[in-house]
Amino acid sequence: MAGPTTARRGEKKPSRSGPPSSGRTGKAGKAGKTGGNGKSGKPKGPAGPGGLSALRDRFTMPPRRTLIIALVGAVLLAGFGAWALYGSTWLRTEHVKARGTAFLTADEVVKAAEVPMDTPLVSVDKAAIAARVRAKLPRVKTVDVVRSWPHTVSLKVTERQPVLVIQTGGKFVEVDAEGTRFATVAAAPKGVPLLEMAVRDSPSLRRFGADRLRSAAGAVVTALPKAVHQDVRAVEVRSYDAITLKLTGGRTVAWGSGERSTAKAKVLTAALKAARDARHFDVSVPTAPAVSGS
C-alpha cells in the first residue's frame, strides 16, 4: 500500500499561483503603447504636424510678384489722381457764384473775391479769397468759400446789419452790434437810432477806446424789445458808465453802462407800461429803478 507521497529532498515544490496569463499581459502592454484607448498615441489637430501645415498654408504671405503688382498699381492710381487734380482740364475753376447778399450785389462780391480762373480747383486759396472780400467790402461780416466740384467756387456771405448810425456832415456811418463802422450812406436806414458820441473829454475814451464804447451802445439797442426799440430816437454815450436813451415825446432813460442790458430792458419795459406819463426813467440799477416827471 502506497503511503502519502512526500517530496524528496532537493525537489522544488510546484507553484500555487499557476502559469501567468499571457492574454492579460499582452493586452496591458498594448494598452500602454496606445494610451489606453486602443488608438495611436500620436497627437492630431492643430498641434500635430498636419494642423501646423494647414495653419502655415492659411497665413502664407502672397508671392513677391503679387506685392510688386499691387504696389505698382497704387503708384499709378496716385499719379493719375494727381494729374486729374492738377494737370488735367477736368477740374479747373470756370465759374464763381455768390449768395446771401441783401444790400450788396452778387457781382460786387465776385469782383472783390478775385478768384483766379482756369486754375486747378483744388489749389484755390479759400482763406485768401475770404480776406480779399472782407477787406474790399466792409459790409461783409463773414464769407464762406466752398469748392463746388468740378468747376465752381461758391461764396456764401453774411452782411453786417446796422443797429446805430453816426451822422457826419450830411451823411451817415452805419454801425453794427459789435461797434464796427462799416459803411457810409446818404440817408439813415429806417428805424435805426442815431448814435451820439459825447466822449471827447471823457477818460473812458482813453481807457476803453471808441470801438468798445460803440459796442456798449450796440449791446443796449439789441437788448431792447421791439415795442421799446421803435420809440428810441438816439443813444447818447458820455462815458462807459453813462449811456442815455432818448425816446419819442422827449422822454429819456438813464441806462448806465452796457452791462446787464437784458435785465435793464425788462425793467424799462415794465416801467413804461406802469408810468405812461413819466418823462424820465432810470434803470442803471435794475433792482432799484426810478421814474420821475409827468
Side-chain angles (χ1 to χ4, degrees):
M1 171 180 260
T5 304
T6 57
R8 296 181 180 180
R9 185 178 298 175
E11 291 182 353
K12 294 182 179 180
K13 295 181 179 181
S15 175
R16 294 182 180 180
S17 61
S21 175
S22 60
R24 292 182 182 178
T25 304
K27 289 182 179 181
K30 186 175 182 180
K33 294 181 180 179
T34 58
N37 56 5
K39 299 181 180 180
S40 174
K42 296 181 179 180
K44 292 185 178 181
L52 292 176
S53 178
L55 289 175
R56 191 182 302 111
D57 293 340
R58 182 180 299 178
F59 295 103
T60 300
M61 295 295 291
R64 180 177 298 180
R65 180 179 299 176
T66 303
L67 291 177
I68 294 175
I69 293 175
L71 181 60
V72 172
V75 172
L76 291 176
L77 183 61
F80 176 79
W83 173 82
L85 289 173
Y86 293 95
S88 72
T89 58
W90 301 343
L91 305 172
R92 302 183 80 79
T93 307
E94 296 180 2
H95 309 286
V96 181
K97 298 180 179 180
R99 58 191 180 92
T101 57
F103 187 91
L104 298 170
T105 66
D107 290 340
E108 287 178 309
V109 176
V110 171
K111 184 178 179 180
E114 294 184 355
V115 178
M117 306 301 289
D118 197 29
T119 58
L121 189 60
V122 70
S123 65
V124 168
D125 190 338
K126 298 191 295 183
I129 292 174
R132 286 195 293 269
V133 172
R134 290 194 301 267
K136 295 181 179 180
L137 301 174
R139 185 177 292 276
V140 174
K141 183 177 181 179
T142 62
V143 54
D144 187 18
V145 183
V146 178
R147 299 184 184 94
S148 300
W149 302 94
H151 303 296
T152 305
V153 173
S154 299
L155 309 174
K156 174 64 172 66
V157 302
T158 301
E159 295 180 350
R160 298 182 184 275
Q161 300 299 320
V163 298
L164 293 164
V165 291
I166 301 174
Q167 187 171 8
T168 304
K171 295 185 178 181
F172 299 87
V173 178
E174 295 179 317
V175 180
D176 69 359
E178 298 174 350
T180 302
R181 299 180 297 178
F182 60 89
T184 301
V185 295
K190 185 178 180 180
V192 178
L194 188 68
L195 175 60
E196 299 174 352
M197 297 289 290
V199 295
R200 178 172 298 179
D201 299 325
S202 173
S204 293
L205 182 61
R206 295 187 296 271
R207 180 179 178 183
F208 298 103
D211 291 344
R212 188 170 178 183
L213 294 178
R214 289 195 301 269
S215 177
V220 173
V221 173
T222 54
L224 296 174
K226 185 177 181 180
V228 178
H229 184 278
Q230 63 185 8
D231 289 340
V232 179
R233 293 294 175 261
V235 178
E236 181 184 47
V237 179
R238 294 191 303 274
S239 70
Y240 183 81
D241 296 320
I243 299 176
T244 301
L245 304 184
K246 297 181 179 181
L247 309 183
T248 57
R251 297 171 295 170
T252 59
V253 180
W255 196 271
S257 70
E259 299 175 0
R260 302 185 65 187
S261 287
T262 301
K264 294 176 182 179
K266 292 180 179 180
V267 172
L268 176 60
T269 302
L272 289 171
K273 292 180 179 180
R276 297 181 181 276
D277 296 332
R279 298 181 61 83
H280 305 291
F281 302 84
D282 189 338
V283 295
S284 57
V285 181
T287 55
V291 178
S292 62
S294 60

